[in-house]
Structures are given as structure tokens and as C-alpha cells.
Amino acid sequence: DVQLQASGGGLVQAGGSLRLSCAASGLSFDDYTIGWFRQVPGKAREGVACISSIDNWAYYFGSAMGRFNVSSDNTKNTVYLQMNSLKPEDTAVYYCAADVPAIDCPQAVEVLDGRGMDFWGEGTQVTVSS
């Protein structure tokens, strides 16, 4: 079975950067989808980024576009989320989630909003100060 472990959150000033990691134990990178989501209390879950073995292409959603980068290191079974030019409105708990077998990223994030994901990691808090 797949187990996900997210890490890398913390406190950063506006304009700064953080790199989150999602270590996926038991995950075959031949058939997978990993998405990044964030959530603030009282608000709906929001898709941030996604990468899938279907096309090996990175996708970005909402305000993440142009500022965040998602990448994978298959030798380490780890997916990274590089967050740049952080803003106070980026403050949230960030989660990584996996879908096995793979589903295309637009379906997983834009249509299902993560509801079809099979595995979820623990959240990591990101706080951006002004």
C-alpha cells in the first residue's frame, strides 16, 4: 500500500520561497498521479499543482500558476512543490495526495477537486507573513 509523507512547511516572509516534499512509499512511478492541495479553515479545498505518469507533465491551478513548480524524482519516489514569490494569501495547510492507477491531472484537480484520490499524506502548515 501507498503511504505519503509531506514535509517542508514553515513560516516565511512575503516574497520568499519554500520547497515542500511528498515522499511516496510503495508508489510505482509507472502508474500514478500526485496532486498538491491546500485548505484554510472555513474555505473549500483548493487544487495547487499536479503531476501524472499519464503524460509526465506538470499542471498548475489558480494563483499557483507562474509562481510554483512541481517536479518528481523517481529514484527517490518523491514529488516536490517549489513555491516562490509567496503571498500572505498562500497561508494554508498543504496536502499531497495520490491516485493509483493514474488519472489525468485536469480531471483529478479541476473536476474532482481531489475527491477521487486514493491516498492522502499529512498536511504541512505554510504561513506567509507580510
Side-chain angles (χ1 to χ4, degrees):
D1 291 337
V2 175
Q3 291 187 324
L4 306 178
Q5 186 172 35
S7 61
L11 175 64
V12 64
Q13 294 184 1
S17 299
L18 283 174
R19 188 179 76 163
L20 307 183
S21 64
C22 178
S25 300
L27 180 68
S28 172
F29 274 50
D30 293 327
D31 191 8
Y32 83 100
T33 299
I34 287 184
W36 286 96
F37 301 84
R38 65 188 182 188
Q39 190 163 26
V40 177
K43 296 184 63 178
R45 182 168 58 205
E46 179 184 11
V48 177
C50 181
I51 189 167
S52 174
S53 62
I54 291 177
D55 54 11
N56 294 308
W57 201 258
Y59 292 80
Y60 306 95
F61 306 92
S63 63
M65 288 186 286
R67 298 186 298 127
F68 295 1
N69 291 298
V70 64
S71 62
S72 64
D73 184 342
N74 292 4
T75 65
K76 298 180 179 179
N77 271 14
T78 300
V79 172
Y80 303 96
L81 181 67
Q82 178 68 44
M83 305 187 296
N84 304 309
S85 301
L86 285 164
K87 306 173 182 179
E89 50 263 44
D90 293 316
T91 297
V93 177
Y94 285 71
Y95 302 87
C96 63
D99 197 322
V100 181
I103 186 172
D104 65 279
C105 281
Q107 181 77 7
V109 178
E110 293 183 306
V111 178
L112 297 177
D113 195 26
R115 289 173 291 176
M117 294 296 190
D118 301 306
F119 307 97
W120 288 84
E122 77 283 3
T124 184
Q125 177 72 48
V126 173
T127 302
V128 184
S129 62
S130 60

